[in-house]
Amino acid sequence: MSGANSWLQRQRKTDLVELAQYAGLKNIDSLKKVELELALDEYLAENTATFQSDPKLANYYASRARTIGSPIKKDVDAPPEKLRVARRRLTKAAEEIALPAESSEEDPSSTSTAIARTPARALSLASRIPLPATPADVAEAVDRSTLALRTRVASVYKESGITEATHATRETLSSVSAVLFAISAFELYFLRPEILADRYAFTIPAVAFLGTSDYPVFIPDMFLLLTASFWSPALLWAFTSSILPSVAGYFINLKTTNNAHRGGRVTRGTPPAPDAVVDPLTFSIVKALISFVVYGQGVTFGGLISEVSIARVNSAVYGGYKGMLAGAAISGIFSIYDAVLKK
């Protein structure tokens, strides 16, 4: 034999001795490792029918089967004639390989010919190899991601309804009525602590984690609603800042008169336009006049108005009666500007 089994050659001598004892091989004590490999290989080959199904020797018989089926092994075991034929074929193949190599040096077009002869399997394998991304590919990927993010943000913004709510809020606030309401709310904000005083309710304890201290909470004393100290100044401010100016603006309405001259006589079937129910300019003028007379001059109209209520309202509203005059002037300017825009 040309040599022991390759699997046996990879084993250590102690493993070979143990394997020989397991298989029942005798007289192995004086054998060297190479001799033991050969003896064990020959013994196991002769007793294939006995040990082939043994799991402990499965690797040996698998290696032996590969060795027997190898073409190189067959060539090695072949007669000398076949060896000589194989040698001649190898020489001829080497000459055929050398000839294209020499012609490729002489012919510049040999590169394209070699590419044309490249097997399709090799090309398919090369196409599956991942190549690093080029700067153009990276820039294109970034552009796609940016476009997708921009589209998503625009979609979320559109679905949230922020645009519609913003336009509706702007349309609501862009009117003279909104300006009048804002001025009245500003006056009422400063008047409320005077007529509905705050009372201590409870204390929010300090939070050491947030670094806050004790915070006392005050809420309006709702029991004052049952007393005259609330209703007297509250009704005075309501009449002078809202009720009387509204009544005057309804009856002295310049818009209604202007619409009647343009479209004919106003009848029961043709009511005035909804935005002309109260003339904002008349409202502002009457409010300024009443505020100056009542709060600036202290007129009580024969004792109908309490001097204490006048003083409380005048001291509570920001700027006193002058602040009320300034608010009336602002609303009057807005009403004139609105009328000019509607011409």
Side-chain angles (χ1 to χ4, degrees), residues 56-116:
K56 191 170 183 179
L57 299 172
N59 293 331
Y60 165 77
Y61 286 105
S63 176
R64 178 178 175 79
R66 288 194 299 270
T67 304
I68 294 175
S70 174
I72 298 176
K73 182 70 175 179
K74 290 180 179 180
D75 291 342
V76 171
D77 297 337
E81 271 184 45
K82 294 185 178 180
L83 289 176
R84 287 196 294 272
V85 172
R87 192 178 300 109
R88 285 198 297 272
R89 289 179 180 175
L90 291 174
T91 306
K92 185 177 180 181
E95 293 175 355
E96 291 177 354
I97 295 173
L99 288 175
E102 294 176 357
S103 61
S104 63
E105 295 178 356
E106 298 174 358
D107 188 2
S109 61
S110 61
T111 304
S112 60
T113 306
I115 294 175

Side-chain angles (χ1 to χ4, degrees), residues 11-256:
Q11 306 302 314
R12 294 177 297 181
K13 184 176 180 180
T14 54
D15 297 333
L16 294 175
V17 172
E18 182 181 355
L19 192 62
Q21 293 175 354
Y22 175 79
L25 182 61
K26 305 296 183 178
N27 301 323
I28 60 173
D29 296 336
S30 60
L31 297 180
K32 297 181 180 180
K33 182 177 184 298
V34 177
E35 297 173 349
L36 181 58
E37 292 172 1
L38 294 174
L40 190 58
D41 188 13
E42 183 178 356
Y43 178 77
L44 293 176
E46 292 175 354
N47 298 276
T48 301
T50 304
F51 299 106
Q52 188 173 8
S53 59
D54 194 325
K56 191 170 183 179
L57 299 172
N59 293 331
Y60 165 77
Y61 286 105
S63 176
R64 178 178 175 79
R66 288 194 299 270
T67 304
I68 294 175
S70 174
I72 298 176
K73 182 70 175 179
K74 290 180 179 180
D75 291 342
V76 171
D77 297 337
E81 271 184 45
K82 294 185 178 180
L83 289 176
R84 287 196 294 272
V85 172
R87 192 178 300 109
R88 285 198 297 272
R89 289 179 180 175
L90 291 174
T91 306
K92 185 177 180 181
E95 293 175 355
E96 291 177 354
I97 295 173
L99 288 175
E102 294 176 357
S103 61
S104 63
E105 295 178 356
E106 298 174 358
D107 188 2
S109 61
S110 61
T111 304
S112 60
T113 306
I115 294 175
R117 294 180 180 177
T118 303
R121 184 177 179 183
L123 293 176
S124 175
L125 178 60
S127 64
R128 291 196 298 267
I129 297 176
L131 299 177
T134 62
D137 295 336
V138 175
E140 184 178 358
V142 172
D143 292 340
R144 287 198 303 268
S145 302
T146 304
L147 180 60
L149 179 61
R150 188 186 303 115
T151 303
R152 179 59 180 167
V153 171
S155 176
V156 172
Y157 179 80
K158 185 177 181 180
E159 293 174 358
S160 64
I162 297 177
T163 304
E164 292 76 5
T166 303
H167 291 170
T169 304
R170 183 180 65 179
E171 184 178 356
T172 302
L173 297 178
S174 300
S175 62
V176 181
S177 300
V179 175
L180 294 174
F181 178 79
I183 293 174
S184 298
F186 180 77
E187 295 178 358
L188 187 60
Y189 174 77
F190 288 95
L191 181 63
R192 199 277 308 167
E194 175 63 28
I195 62 178
L196 197 63
D198 293 332
R199 294 291 181 266
Y200 171 78
F202 57 91
T203 300
I204 299 176
V207 180
F209 176 75
L210 300 177
T212 60
S213 57
D214 293 341
Y215 181 78
V217 178
F218 296 87
I219 60 175
D221 186 4
M222 305 305 294
F223 290 102
L224 293 177
L225 294 175
L226 304 177
T227 62
S229 63
F230 169 81
W231 289 107
S232 179
L235 292 176
L236 175 62
W237 176 84
F239 271 98
T240 57
S241 297
S242 181
I243 297 176
L244 292 180
S246 297
V247 172
Y250 177 79
F251 288 104
I252 307 174
N253 196 329
L254 301 181
K255 289 187 177 182
T256 303

